[in-house]
Amino acid sequence: MSSAVDSAALPVIKPLWIGSVKVDPPILQAPMAGFTNYAFRQIVREFGGAGLQATEMVNAKGFVWLDQQAEEHPDRLWGVPEEARPLAVQIWDNDPETLASVGERLAGPDYGVSVVDINFGCPVKDVTEKAHSGSYLLRFPDRMGAIIERVVKACAPTPVTAKIRLGCTLNTINAVEIAQVVEGAGAAALTVHGRTAQEMFRGRADWDRIAEIKPHLKRIPLIGNGDLSSAEQVVDVFRRYPVDGVMIARACLGRPWLFAQAAAALRGEPTPPEPTFAEQRACLLRHFGMIVDRFGETKGAILMRKYAACYAVGKYGARHFRSAIGRITTAAEFYSVVEEFFLEGPPPEAAESSAGTHEKTPAP
């Protein structure tokens, strides 16, 4: 059953402008490595509600090497030249010239992206400790400023944005200082994830800390990110905090219709119900079809394991499904697992043994 948000208490939600790019509604899909590829973005686009979508983050050095070798560009840029706009591509590295070179190519005629986003928030060790990029650079505001200035100049007139965390650790939170550096260097928007790099994805996102940044920005919009998993939470954030937009991340991976629900709630309309179980299964199968069309059956089946597990979160039999899907290597095996375990209710053996006492078990 659909539900309605109290329209009398709704804040006035305006479109978000990133330079000359209009983001309406001001609900953004986060770039997520290993997940937000073309197939996923197409599924989101079919449901609607995302004002701006983003690719997976792209390793700038890897892009440059492939460019020099005249090789096909990374799979993370699959579909970018042809798909609908607006579209952001996120890049990462620690060298201003490398990032500027890649940004210029992305903003140019070959790709023509709407927004170039620089990742200063990734907390993964391969990016931070090994490559001294992502959230590692939050320790060096001057370096960040130099990177942004150079990329902004290379990409003009395409707007450049930055995504950060609150700081590297709870004892070194410096998001306000970083925000001022980002704006001063010419970025067109700032997205802040409400955790430190040290926290990874543990605990809760601190939206009060995100809100503290807003008074220190004079011209660019502030986009908040962290722990948004329902339309009601999106509305509540706009009610309580002075953000110009929100970014939805992990919660949308198994529920790509979440953007449409949030957009309706912000308009004061009844929130669309969750798709029926049959519709969710059809969505999963369509997603698989696009992955196989791109990567072939063997690679596609293996890649689909992690996507499929997201669709099962919170459903009956999620653990059984994830265990089985983690072993597939062919399309036939995928369809067999979906048929056997992706069920609207307890698995048959659980229903027989527990007489209906099986509880919904989300995949951890």
Side-chain angles (χ1 to χ4, degrees):
M1 179 180 294
S2 63
S3 60
V5 175
D6 181 5
S7 59
L10 276 174
V12 176
I13 306 299
K14 299 178 180 178
L16 166 66
W17 288 89
I18 298 177
S20 61
V21 177
K22 185 179 183 180
V23 180
D24 186 18
I27 306 171
L28 292 77
Q29 171 242 299
M32 287 174 278
F35 286 98
T36 56
N37 64 16
Y38 175 75
F40 176 77
R41 297 194 302 272
Q42 284 298 98
I43 295 291
V44 170
R45 192 169 286 116
E46 290 171 5
F47 284 102
L52 178 65
Q53 294 188 260
T55 65
E56 304 173 70
M57 65 181 190
V58 174
N59 180 333
K61 279 190 176 69
F63 181 103
V64 169
W65 186 88
L66 289 169
D67 217 23
Q68 292 172 344
Q69 305 302 314
E71 297 283 349
E72 182 180 6
H73 284 167
D75 283 327
R76 292 184 173 190
L77 293 173
W78 166 31
V80 168
E82 299 83 22
E83 71 184 288
R85 299 299 192 257
L87 179 70
V89 173
Q90 186 181 79
I91 57 179
W92 68 273
D93 194 68
N94 63 6
D95 178 63
E97 293 306 316
T98 300
L99 287 163
S101 174
V102 175
E104 186 174 21
R105 289 279 280 116
L106 292 170
D110 288 345
Y111 289 97
V113 303
S114 310
V115 175
V116 174
D117 184 58
I118 307 174
N119 183 299
F120 297 112
C122 181
V124 176
K125 288 184 179 181
D126 281 350
V127 174
T128 57
E129 295 183 9
K130 292 185 179 181
H132 289 177
S133 302
S135 61
Y136 176 89
L137 290 167
L138 296 174
R139 309 174 193 181
F140 308 101
D142 290 345
R143 180 72 172 179
M144 289 180 60
I147 287 171
I148 294 168
E149 285 184 4
R150 184 67 188 88
V151 177
V152 166
K153 182 178 179 181
C155 293
T158 298
V160 173
T161 60
K163 188 170 190 285
I164 69 169
R165 285 190 169 225
L166 296 176
C168 287
T169 70
L170 290 169
N171 294 326
T172 59
I173 288 176
N174 61 346
V176 169
E177 176 190 0
I178 294 295
Q180 293 172 312
V181 168
V182 168
E183 183 172 60
L190 173 68
T191 301
V192 182
H193 179 90
R195 289 181 176 84
T196 64
Q198 180 185 46
E199 292 173 286
M200 299 291 285
F201 296 99
R202 297 183 296 271
R204 299 184 65 84
D206 192 339
W207 281 83
D208 290 318
R209 289 279 196 176
I210 295 174
E212 289 173 2
I213 298 168
K214 181 61 178 176
H216 300 276
L217 295 176
K218 295 180 173 58
R219 63 172 183 83
I220 67 173
L222 174 65
I223 301 158
N225 169 228
D227 297 346
L228 297 179
S229 60
S230 71
E232 292 73 23
Q233 287 176 323
V234 169
V235 171
D236 188 53
V237 160
F238 277 108
R239 283 191 182 123
R240 297 176 57 193
Y241 302 105
V243 294
D244 302 292
V246 298
M247 180 175 281
I248 297 176
R250 291 174 292 166
C252 73
L253 293 177
R255 298 173 58 222
W257 48 86
L258 178 56
F259 299 95
Q261 292 175 324
L266 285 182
R267 294 191 298 267
E269 300 172 0
T271 304
E274 294 287 295
T276 66
F277 195 81
E279 290 168 338
Q280 292 186 40
R281 187 191 300 224
C283 181
L284 170 60
L285 295 177
R286 171 156 168 68
H287 194 159
F288 179 61
M290 285 191 283
I291 293 291
V292 169
D293 285 347
R294 168 67 179 182
F295 297 104
E297 181 178 332
T298 301
K299 184 178 179 180
I302 293 170
L303 286 174
M304 193 64 194
R305 293 169 180 175
K306 59 187 176 183
Y307 303 124
C310 294
Y311 283 90
V313 170
K315 292 181 172 62
Y316 287 114
R319 292 180 186 275
H320 299 274
F321 178 79
R322 187 179 65 244
S323 176
I325 210 73
R327 298 190 295 269
I328 65 164
T329 58
T330 67
E333 290 173 351
F334 175 82
Y335 292 123
S336 177
V337 169
V338 170
E339 180 67 25
E340 182 176 1
F341 291 109
F342 199 75
L343 303 170
E344 189 175 16
E349 67 276 12
E352 292 169 4
S353 62
S354 63
T357 60
H358 187 286
E359 294 181 358
K360 181 187 291 187
T361 304

